[in-house]
Amino acid sequence: TPDIADGDFDSLSKEGKAYLESLSGTEIVKLNPEKDDTDTEYAIREAIRRGAMEIVVIGATGTRIDHVLGNISLLGIGLEEQIKISLVDEHNRIRMINQPLTIRKAEQYGKYVSLIPFSEKVSGVTLRGLKYPLTDYTMGGFNSLGISNEIVSDEASISLSSGQLIVIESKD
């Protein structure tokens, strides 16, 4: 049972609205459908305002690619606020990093680890414990170099000296 449900609820069915209203103890925050931010951005910022130190966003990778890309961009709020934020669905865990990250093979979210530069350049990329290692590499846009790597050791380490990387762990 959610503590809070926020949104303009414009895409929620009548049954879904009735279900939300039937929940006892759930605070419902109805947002104006005409606003400058998305419901997801509002929810992330509200969670931070209420003291969250880690946020897992579920339901943010649906069929609207504009919303998916916008939600991936919102991961940067976590970098600004120094809070872990991830988008999780049935097949993927998506994070944004600007500091080293270690992924233990026993805890990884799927078989593949893909890295996509979010900033124009990501410098000093070093990958250890992965099938395709890198040392002090500069990643930029317009290529697919970081797609579909695999952890081959007990743990993988991803480090960078500047920029932001999208890290996607995929099951398929």
Side-chain angles (χ1 to χ4, degrees):
T1 303
D3 296 316
I4 181 171
D6 73 76
D8 55 32
F9 305 111
D10 62 347
S11 59
L12 189 61
S13 67
K14 289 179 185 178
E15 295 81 15
K17 287 178 186 176
Y19 172 74
L20 272 181
E21 292 167 355
S22 74
L23 297 174
S24 63
T26 297
E27 179 183 349
I28 298 175
V29 177
K30 179 106 169 70
L31 303 175
N32 185 336
E34 295 183 18
K35 57 192 177 302
D36 291 334
D37 58 357
T38 61
D39 298 347
T40 304
E41 181 176 350
Y42 177 89
I44 288 170
R45 293 192 186 280
E46 183 64 14
I48 292 168
R49 191 182 71 70
R50 292 177 183 228
M53 296 307 296
E54 183 170 354
I55 299 169
V56 177
V57 182
I58 299 169
T61 59
T63 58
R64 290 273 310 265
I65 194 71
D66 55 339
H67 280 272
V68 174
L69 292 171
N71 291 336
I72 290 170
S73 178
L74 294 176
L75 294 171
I77 295 170
L79 299 183
E80 292 175 340
E81 301 291 335
Q82 297 181 339
I83 293 173
K84 293 179 182 181
I85 302 177
S86 58
L87 308 179
V88 176
D89 66 21
E90 183 180 357
H91 303 279
N92 306 284
R93 174 169 57 187
I94 307 167
R95 298 181 273 183
M96 184 183 295
I97 64 169
N98 63 0
Q99 296 181 21
L101 174 68
T102 298
I103 304 172
R104 295 181 45 79
K105 187 174 181 93
E107 299 168 358
Q108 79 179 99
Y109 197 86
K111 179 179 179 181
Y112 300 104
V113 178
S114 293
L115 306 175
I116 301 169
F118 188 75
S119 53
E120 184 177 352
K121 288 185 180 179
V122 182
S123 301
V125 177
T126 299
L127 308 178
R128 297 289 178 255
L130 290 155
K131 184 174 182 178
Y132 306 109
L134 287 174
T135 301
D136 199 28
Y137 187 80
T138 298
M139 294 181 81
F142 312 124
N143 69 69
S144 56
L145 176 74
I147 303 300
S148 295
N149 214 329
E150 298 177 43
I151 297 175
V152 293
S153 299
D154 289 339
E155 61 184 34
S157 66
I158 302 164
S159 61
L160 59 151
S161 56
S162 68
Q164 300 90 33
L165 277 175
I166 304 295
V167 179
I168 304 172
E169 295 167 77
S170 299
K171 292 183 178 181
D172 55 6

